[in-house]
Amino acid sequence: MPEAVIVSAVRTPIGTARKGTLAATPAEDLAVHVLREAVRRSGLAAERFDDVIFGETLYGGGDLARHAAVAAGMVHVPGVAVNRHCASSLTALGMAAAGIRAGAERAVVAGGANSSSTGPALTWPAPHSPERRTPPTFPYTDDANDFTDLTVGWNVAQKYGISRERMDAWALRSHQRAVTATAVGLFADEIAPIKVTLPDGSVVEFAADEHPRATTTAEKMAALKPLRPEIEGYSITAGNACGTNDAAAALAVVADDLAAAEGLTPLATVRAWTSVGVDPKYTGVGAIDAATKILDKTGLSVADIDLWEINEAFASVPVAACQELGISEDVVNIYGSGCSLGHPIAATGARMVTTLVHELRRRGGGVGLASMCAGGGQGGAVVIEVA
């Protein structure tokens, strides 16, 4: 059985939705850019790839992966779009690794792209109500619905007794870590700058994440108003929640014997992948349960994981995960995550793994675990190893 090895891992810089540099750049363009770059960096000819698997979410139709393949000149390579909400591109990576391990494919590009700025806002009438809602992933109830600040942020904070002070402190540190990493060039290996046409017709090269805020302070975090002041004690704010963002990320995954035959350099091995379902009322628990499941599946312990990426959909999620699993906060999201870098939904999982690949290589090897919750009471996780 061949191993599935990553031979390239790349992402765009992350833009701030609707007012940032990528606000007029559709997800299709972002997907084409990272697909081309992932193939180029892999060292394998484009025609040798068997499939493109890209995560997408909230698009309401189309096939982003096939669109990107054709636009990138890979006309004879099919493409499939995956939607597991926030965990879409983690699932895409798992599907790629599974196909290679099974011998069904030899080389696949997996990733995801998201444009919160330009994606269509698909809604439909709610039954017996004047409201319009997004197509549901689960049956909505009063305490489990499509308001993620409740089902992901607040309910998890309540369940695990996490204070606003702890969430604000986590979010502030996330910004500080992301700002520092950017300043010293730690994202240079993973970012593929992209030329962007702005609304005024000018063309710029976008090369650095723009969501992290160097001017954020504890006092500014504490001054932010809760998103739902009508709920007593409500502690979720714009500061301890993730950003709304635009970006894409992709990884070229090939069979290890193909890599050896073609003289390609494996960057990492995909050791395991998993998905979970949880009570939609506590969607944020998906990140904890996915991490627990993949540790059990692999026989690894928390101590065996050198670096963690636990998406900051809301700061309460990684705080709860560290608390419940006994993870040191020093090895989680060491260069920031959703609160600072941002959360380009369908691309975030691939972004997390891309960051793990490059950082573990800088360290000379190790094991990384990426875990995240996903809309509708779901979660996903991937374990990689860098030799």
Side-chain angles (χ1 to χ4, degrees), residues 103-185:
E105 284 89 32
R106 302 282 285 159
V108 179
V109 179
N114 200 93
S115 174
S116 297
S117 296
T118 67
L122 180 65
T123 63
W124 60 6
H128 315 295
S129 169
E131 294 183 359
R132 294 183 66 86
R133 287 192 158 178
T134 56
T137 300
F138 61 96
Y140 293 149
T141 62
D142 288 343
D143 59 358
N145 47 52
D146 57 345
F147 300 122
T148 57
D149 60 302
L150 285 167
T151 59
V152 180
W154 173 242
N155 288 352
V156 167
Q158 291 290 95
K159 181 179 179 70
Y160 295 109
I162 298 168
S163 67
R164 173 170 174 177
E165 288 72 23
R166 289 178 68 191
M167 290 187 284
D168 283 355
W170 183 288
L172 174 61
R173 185 177 59 194
S174 179
H175 280 279
Q176 292 168 338
R177 287 176 168 180
V179 168
T180 299
T182 300
V184 298

Side-chain angles (χ1 to χ4, degrees), residues 24 27 45 56 60 62 80 87 146 159 165 196 213 226 261 273 288 328 346 382:
E56 64 179 12
V80 61
D146 57 345
K159 181 179 179 70
E165 288 72 23
V196 176
R213 297 180 181 178
W273 53 93
I288 301 172
S328 168
V382 167

Side-chain angles (χ1 to χ4, degrees), residues 40-58:
R40 186 190 71 80
R41 293 186 182 195
S42 75
L44 193 66
E47 60 269 19
R48 301 289 299 279
F49 284 87
D50 298 302
D51 209 351
V52 177
I53 308 174
F54 268 18
E56 64 179 12
T57 185
L58 302 179

